[in-house]
Amino acid sequence: MKLPLKGIIPPMITPLLENRELDSIGLKSIIEHLIEGGVHGIFLLGTNGEGPSLSYRIRKQLISEACEIINGRVPVLVGITDTSLEGTLDIASYSKEAGVDVLVVAPPYYFPISEEEMIEYLSILTPQLPLPFLLYNIPSCTKLHLKVNIVKKARELGAIGVKDSSGDMESLYEIIEAFKDDPEFSIIVGNELFISEAMAKGAHGAVAGGANFSPKTFVELYQACVNKDELAINELRKKVYAIDENIYHINNTPTSSIKAIKGSLAIMGVCNDYMAVPLQKLSHEQSNIVKRNLFKIEGSLIK
């Protein structure tokens, strides 16, 4: 795996059956859909993958089956963060055995922690990790905003990059500036609406949820940014904004986009839209709205 990590790395959804077991057929389908779309990596057990809601058994099954299907065609990233250090290290160890390339580390969730506690946590955790790790900043889920001082400490401890889903562009730009001369440290943006702006400042790519169902859109946007093709960037940004406006906000809940992404894949015939408890899939009426809107944006993909 070359550093810095670059490109579009979808936070892959976890396809489930109605009984909440892993949908192995759907798993192969979504992986092939992503790779055919030209993605540069696949991120398992992130927010869109409903990682914290899955049993350790299902998480491990997903990791091993996904790595077998991907078979080295693109780098595999796995979210390992758990409420306990032992749980985090368990998934990290299993990931190594399964053939994962990069571990993704966010602050332990549930208890609000201080910056000092996060730095101490990283100091304890990272020497025990068997693989390179990417820091993950998602304060909406973890209650802690990882600013540049923590990112610098993580780099000292071996981090190969940071994925920032804070939506705080001022903080993101500060991180980009701090690492602009580090050729092996990746800045990956999590907010789809700011991909082109962040890459213009020096970011290396995006973990874009919408790339689950429309990988080519985001891969083309990434390439347009690399090529500094302003005409293509503007056209593709319009499409990304249309996805955000017409797909992600159908269900008026904090997890609306996660449900809509999985629902879109079901509409396209890629996999089921069953969610892990406590999340619930879109209603039939909501799904029909997504289908109409998705057809307007991605008509040729609807089966």
Side-chain angles (χ1 to χ4, degrees), residues 20-261:
R20 301 186 183 90
E21 291 294 314
L22 184 67
D23 178 4
S24 297
I25 295 174
L27 179 61
K28 180 172 177 56
S29 180
I30 179 66
I31 288 172
E32 296 303 335
H33 170 70
L34 295 177
I35 292 177
E36 287 172 13
V39 303
H40 305 89
I42 293 177
F43 175 25
L44 308 177
L45 297 176
T47 308
N48 279 278
E50 302 172 85
S53 297
L54 302 172
S55 69
Y56 294 118
R57 177 178 62 83
I58 295 294
R59 294 184 212 185
K60 291 178 178 179
Q61 183 185 357
L62 170 72
I63 293 167
S64 58
E65 291 190 18
C67 285
E68 185 175 348
I69 295 166
I70 295 167
N71 193 27
R73 289 179 286 174
V74 295
V76 179
L77 292 73
V78 170
I80 63 170
T81 303
D82 197 82
T83 50
S84 73
L85 179 67
E86 289 74 15
T88 299
L89 290 171
D90 180 40
I91 294 296
S93 176
Y94 189 86
S95 296
K96 166 73 172 179
E97 294 172 7
V100 168
D101 298 285
V102 179
L103 306 174
V104 182
V105 177
Y109 42 89
Y110 188 78
F111 287 113
I113 62 174
S114 67
E115 290 188 350
E116 292 77 13
E117 286 169 323
M118 181 60 188
I119 289 172
E120 178 66 14
Y121 173 74
L122 289 173
S123 299
I124 295 169
L125 171 68
T126 56
Q128 302 181 67
L129 294 179
L131 290 168
F133 75 97
L134 191 79
L135 195 64
Y136 185 7
N137 184 25
I138 183 164
S140 61
C141 294
T142 64
K143 308 181 182 74
L144 180 64
H145 189 348
L146 304 181
K147 296 188 178 180
V148 68
N149 60 314
I150 295 181
V151 180
K152 286 180 177 179
K153 182 61 180 179
R155 180 57 172 152
E156 291 174 13
L157 293 167
I160 63 167
V162 59
K163 183 222 168 180
D164 191 288
S165 295
S166 68
D168 182 346
M169 297 307 290
E170 182 178 350
S171 175
L172 176 59
Y173 292 159
E174 188 177 359
I175 292 169
I176 292 173
E177 178 65 22
F179 292 94
K180 66 182 181 180
D181 297 323
D182 189 333
E184 295 191 340
F185 191 79
S186 300
I187 313 292
I188 306 294
V189 63
N191 191 314
E192 296 172 20
L193 300 181
F194 303 132
I195 293 173
S196 57
E197 291 87 344
M199 286 193 63
K201 290 285 188 178
H204 298 88
V207 171
N212 273 283
F213 63 86
S214 188
K216 289 182 180 179
T217 295
F218 291 90
V219 169
E220 289 173 1
L221 176 58
Y222 166 77
Q223 197 57 54
C225 291
V226 170
N227 297 336
K228 296 181 170 56
D229 184 342
E230 292 299 329
L231 182 61
I233 290 171
N234 289 336
E235 288 303 310
L236 289 161
R237 282 183 67 206
K238 290 177 185 177
K239 191 171 183 180
V240 171
Y241 273 89
I243 289 171
D244 181 83
E245 182 178 353
N246 296 290
I247 304 298
Y248 294 164
H249 302 292
I250 300 300
N251 177 281
N252 189 27
T253 66
T255 53
S256 176
S257 63
I258 302 173
K259 300 168 186 177
I261 288 168

Side-chain angles (χ1 to χ4, degrees), residues 14-17 20-21 48-55 58 258-259 262 273-281:
T14 301
L16 300 172
L17 300 170
R20 301 186 183 90
E21 291 294 314
N48 279 278
E50 302 172 85
S53 297
L54 302 172
S55 69
I58 295 294
I258 302 173
K259 300 168 186 177
K262 219 172 197 182
D273 59 353
Y274 297 112
M275 309 293 294
V277 173
L279 301 187
Q280 296 181 343
K281 67 179 183 177

